[in-house]
Amino acid sequence: LDVLTGLQRAARGTFLCDGSPFDPFESACLPKLVGYVPQSITLVDASIAFNIAFVEDYDKARMAQALRMAHLTQLVDSLPGGLQTPAGENGTRLSGGQKQRIGLARAFYHQPALLLLDEATSALDPLTEREIARELLDLRGRLASITVSHRIAAVKECDEIIVIEAGRVIAKGRHNALVQSSQLYADMYRSQHAPADLESLIGMHDQG
C-alpha cells in the first residue's frame, strides 16, 4: 500500500493507468486523490479537530459528516472539550479503537477518490466495524476503496475479494462465490479468524 500511494518507490513491477505505465512515486496529483488509513494511526499533540482536518479553520459540515461516518460523534459529544479536546502525543489520551476512528474520520473529511484501509478496523468492536462497512457501501459509485484485512467482516461486501496465501493469489471473487470455491476462505468464514498461514485478504470496491 505504501508503494501504491507513492510513499515508497517500487523495486519491481509496473503500474498501469488506463493501459499506460504509471509511477505513483513520481506523481504530484495522486496524494491529493488518496485517503490512506494504516493499521497504526499517527496523531499529533493537538486537538481532535486538528488531527482530522490538519487546519484550525475546518469546514464544519464536512467535519460533522466525517465524524458521523467514522462513528465518532457520540465520543466527541461526551468530551468536555468536544473537538478541541487534546489527543495527546501520538494519541496517548485515546484508546486504540478511538485512534482508528480518528484515522477514518481524517480520510472521510478530505473526501478522497480512492480510500485505502490497512487493517483499519482491527481495533474496533464488531458492531462498529459492521456499521463502518455499511458507510463504505453507501459510498459506492462515489468512492473506490481497497481494504486489506484478515477479517471476513471487513471485506465481505466488497465487489472483489482477493485471497493471498504465502505471497500468492489463490482465489478471487465475491463473498458467496468464494465460500463455495475456496476451501481456505470457507474455513475462515466459518471460524471467523484467520489461519496462521494466511497473509491477508484484499477487498475492493469500484466506483460503479
Side-chain angles (χ1 to χ4, degrees):
L1 292 181
D2 283 350
V3 172
L4 177 59
T5 54
L7 296 175
Q8 293 185 27
R9 186 184 294 276
R12 60 184 184 275
T14 303
F15 281 97
L16 298 177
C17 182
D18 290 335
S20 300
F22 171 74
D23 185 355
F25 190 77
E26 300 291 341
S27 173
C29 64
L30 183 65
K32 301 174 185 178
L33 302 175
V34 175
Y36 185 16
V37 186
Q39 186 172 3
S40 179
I41 305 298
T42 299
L43 301 178
V44 298
D45 191 9
S47 68
I48 290 175
F50 185 85
N51 273 285
I52 292 172
F54 290 140
V55 293
E56 297 292 350
D57 186 21
Y58 57 85
D59 185 300
K60 293 183 179 179
R62 282 171 60 183
M63 178 65 74
Q65 182 183 42
L67 293 177
R68 178 188 60 77
M69 293 175 67
H71 291 265
L72 268 175
T73 304
Q74 185 175 358
L75 169 66
V76 169
D77 288 347
S78 71
L79 298 173
L83 277 168
Q84 298 309 312
T85 302
E89 186 63 38
N90 205 23
T92 53
R93 298 186 179 186
L94 302 168
S95 70
Q98 290 166 348
K99 289 168 66 174
Q100 280 194 322
R101 280 184 280 166
I102 287 176
L104 287 163
R106 178 188 295 169
F108 291 139
Y109 178 86
H110 290 93
Q111 299 178 334
L114 174 63
L115 180 64
L116 303 180
L117 306 174
D118 183 10
E119 299 285 4
T121 58
S122 60
L124 303 181
D125 62 88
L127 177 59
T128 302
E129 183 177 44
R130 287 195 296 271
E131 289 173 341
I132 289 175
R134 283 197 289 269
E135 295 288 353
L136 292 175
L137 282 176
D138 290 341
L139 291 173
R140 275 181 170 167
R142 291 178 287 157
L143 172 71
S145 67
I146 298 177
T147 300
V148 177
S149 180
H150 287 81
R151 295 159 65 134
I152 296 288
V155 301
K156 182 180 176 183
E157 302 298 331
C158 288
D159 297 309
E160 183 173 37
I161 302 168
I162 301 169
V163 185
I164 298 176
E165 183 184 25
R168 295 179 180 275
V169 174
I170 63 168
K172 58 184 177 179
R174 300 198 70 161
H175 171 75
N176 289 339
L178 285 173
V179 170
Q180 300 298 321
S181 64
S182 171
Q183 186 62 53
L184 180 55
Y185 186 88
D187 289 344
M188 274 189 70
Y189 179 57
R190 283 191 290 267
S191 65
Q192 289 299 297
H193 62 81
D197 61 348
L198 184 74
E199 289 185 355
S200 64
L201 295 168
I202 301 177
M204 295 182 286
H205 285 301
D206 62 30
Q207 291 180 299

